[in-house]
Amino acid sequence: MRVFVTGATGFVGSAVVQELRDAGHRVLGLVRSDASAQALALTGAEVHCGSIDDLESLRAGAAACDAVIHTAFDHDFSRFAENCVRDRVAIEALGAAIEGSSRPLLVTSGLAMQAAGRPGHEGDDCLPVSEGYPRASEPTALALAARGVNAAVVRLSPTVHGAGDHGFVPILIDLARRTGRSAYIGAGMNAWSAVHRRDAAVVYRRAIEAPRAGARWHAVAEERLLFKDIAAAIGEQLGVPVVSLSAEEAPAHFGWFTKFAGLDLAATSAVTREALGWTPRQPTLAQDLASAGYFDAKG
């Protein structure tokens, strides 16, 4: 297939591009800058200049391909609500470009599910869009599927790790460096799931090769990593104390990240593994923390 990939030079998107290329697919990647265009061209992918805000560039890229994978998202949390609106509009434009065909659209979402008290699974609904949770990636994709677009969702673990990670775990490492302690909230028994970026890329490829409209796939390799254990691993690597903070103390340490630090984001991937024949093979989060450059000296 010829696959249009947004976010083609991003942390997850670049792994998806490589996975598709290794499997013999052609890739048309969306890029915003000359530097990104040069980096993408080196992978053997085709370059499509534009952005998620340039809806005409999105429609043109989608219309020129057999399938679409949307990994682009602006993770500037100071403008999170605005970025969620931009993402919704982009997904709607991509869906409109392939509506009326059987061409698949795969949209990236997170594991924010309504599954209190147990690990979430693929059948769980996501949190409804609200002021507190404005991201609409999954509801938008499923609304497209409801009107006949061959759209589905990949839910990424909160920790997508590997060399070059700039997500949640590096944020925790930076906090520990700056404050001199690695912290968790309360007993630290809330859990996160995790997946290596290259394992996640296999989920995208297999889901686009065997599309199922309305499906929700889980890119989850490790289902339940206790937050206190993640904090302990960071503390050990940095040589700083590991401390428990009360709910009242947490905002002074975590700042805007407090809400994420207290979430229970454990999830299973049994349905995804069976349906897509997916078996994670890459390093675990603990292995990557020890060897993937997470604690290289900064500045």
Side-chain angles (χ1 to χ4, degrees):
M1 291 186 290
R2 189 182 192 217
V3 185
F4 181 48
V5 179
T6 71
T9 57
F11 182 64
V12 172
S14 60
V16 171
V17 168
Q18 191 61 56
E19 175 67 24
L20 291 169
R21 293 280 299 148
D22 289 347
H25 300 295
R26 291 179 295 152
V27 174
L28 179 67
L30 181 72
V31 296
R32 292 181 299 170
S33 68
D34 290 342
S36 293
Q38 292 172 7
L40 182 63
L42 289 174
T43 70
E46 301 170 73
V47 173
H48 183 75
C49 294
S51 73
I52 60 171
D53 298 311
D54 181 350
L55 301 185
E56 185 54 40
S57 74
L58 293 180
R59 287 189 284 262
C65 292
D66 304 307
V68 180
I69 296 178
H70 178 55
T71 70
F73 189 83
D74 187 340
H75 288 91
D76 179 356
F77 286 97
S78 69
R79 304 177 4 177
F80 188 55
E82 176 187 336
N83 292 337
C84 290
V85 172
R86 294 166 60 208
D87 182 58
R88 174 182 57 77
V89 173
I91 294 167
E92 289 172 344
L94 292 168
I98 62 172
E99 191 165 7
S101 76
S102 61
R103 289 176 289 168
L105 165 64
L106 203 54
V107 169
T108 302
S109 184
L111 283 169
M113 298 165 297
Q114 301 183 78
R118 60 167 174 80
H121 57 72
E122 291 87 343
D124 289 322
D125 291 330
C126 70
L127 292 175
V129 177
S130 66
E131 184 176 347
Y133 185 73
R135 187 160 186 179
S137 312
E138 183 168 326
T140 305
L142 296 182
L144 289 170
R147 71 179 202 226
V149 178
N150 193 1
V153 173
V154 171
R155 290 169 170 169
L156 288 176
S157 296
T159 300
V160 182
H161 54 89
D165 184 0
H166 52 269
F168 283 176
V169 167
I171 289 171
L172 294 174
I173 293 170
D174 181 62
L175 282 169
R177 272 201 176 97
R178 289 192 287 107
T179 64
R181 56 184 185 170
S182 183
Y184 56 90
I185 301 174
M189 297 301 289
N190 59 303
W192 286 1
S193 58
V195 67
H196 192 282
R197 62 193 286 269
R198 287 166 56 193
D199 279 327
V202 178
V203 174
Y204 282 93
R205 174 178 61 81
R206 294 194 176 182
I208 212 73
E209 290 173 342
R212 184 185 300 178
R216 295 175 287 201
W217 306 113
H218 279 194
V220 173
E222 296 179 273
E223 298 180 350
R224 183 176 174 79
L225 300 175
L226 295 182
F227 195 92
K228 71 172 184 178
D229 291 340
I230 297 173
I234 292 171
E236 180 180 358
Q237 288 284 345
L238 292 178
V240 299
V242 180
V243 300
S244 169
L245 301 177
S246 68
E248 293 73 26
E249 294 170 324
H253 176 85
F254 290 107
W256 64 268
F257 197 70
T258 303
K259 179 178 179 179
F260 295 97
L263 287 177
D264 195 331
L265 296 171
T268 68
S269 56
V271 172
T272 299
R273 293 178 190 231
E274 181 176 357
L276 299 182
W278 177 62
T279 301
R281 303 185 186 281
Q282 299 302 320
T284 64
L285 177 60
Q287 290 169 331
D288 265 353
L289 286 175
S291 63
Y294 278 86
F295 299 94
D296 290 349
K298 305 292 182 181

